[in-house]
Amino acid sequence: QVQLAESGGGSVMAGGSLRLSCVVSENTYTSNCIGWFRQAPGKEREGVATIYPAGFRGYYADSVKGRFTISRDNAKRTVSLQMDSLKPEDTAMYYCAAGRSALSCSAPLVGRFDYWGQGTQVTVSS
């Protein structure tokens, strides 16, 4: 059974940091691109960052480059998203997802990801 479980969301002031974690079931972790997406109220879900099974980083949205870092911890089957210098516009529900498509990591569209977690809320206040 494929499972992805996010944690680490919360409320912070602008300029603060949060670290999101996504624990992934074993088979999915070793063979899929893992991506972080976010969805703000009234907006479409968008790709934030992705990482290949081998650990190479695939994609960062322009809006988060230089502030967010995606990483993998193989011992814990966990993909993390370190978010620094947070801005109010980063406020959203954040989801992790797994995708088998060859394009999943390089061009993370929602339809290229097969499995999703339940999401974790991030709220940034000014």
Side-chain angles (χ1 to χ4, degrees):
Q1 184 177 0
V2 177
Q3 292 182 330
L4 301 99
E6 305 96 336
S7 63
S11 297
V12 296
M13 298 295 292
S17 296
L18 283 173
R19 186 177 181 87
L20 306 184
S21 295
C22 175
V23 179
V24 187
S25 55
E26 184 170 0
N27 290 342
T28 301
Y29 182 83
T30 57
S31 61
N32 282 259
C33 168
I34 304 296
W36 282 98
F37 289 75
R38 67 185 181 186
Q39 187 167 19
K43 295 189 176 181
E44 293 186 355
R45 193 170 297 189
E46 63 172 353
V48 175
T50 64
I51 191 163
Y52 287 92
F56 300 106
R57 297 181 179 115
Y59 169 90
Y60 285 105
D62 288 342
S63 58
V64 307
K65 284 179 181 176
R67 300 188 299 121
F68 290 12
T69 304
I70 191 170
S71 61
R72 299 175 74 108
D73 182 336
N74 292 337
K76 298 180 179 179
R77 295 201 319 275
T78 298
V79 175
S80 297
L81 185 68
Q82 177 67 38
M83 306 187 296
D84 298 319
S85 302
L86 282 161
K87 304 176 180 180
E89 51 263 43
D90 294 317
T91 295
M93 184 71 78
Y94 283 72
Y95 300 88
C96 65
R100 289 184 169 272
S101 166
L103 292 175
S104 296
C105 262
S106 60
L109 301 179
V110 170
R112 291 175 176 157
F113 284 76
D114 306 296
Y115 306 103
W116 294 82
Q118 294 299 306
T120 186
Q121 178 68 38
V122 171
T123 303
V124 184
S125 303
S126 58

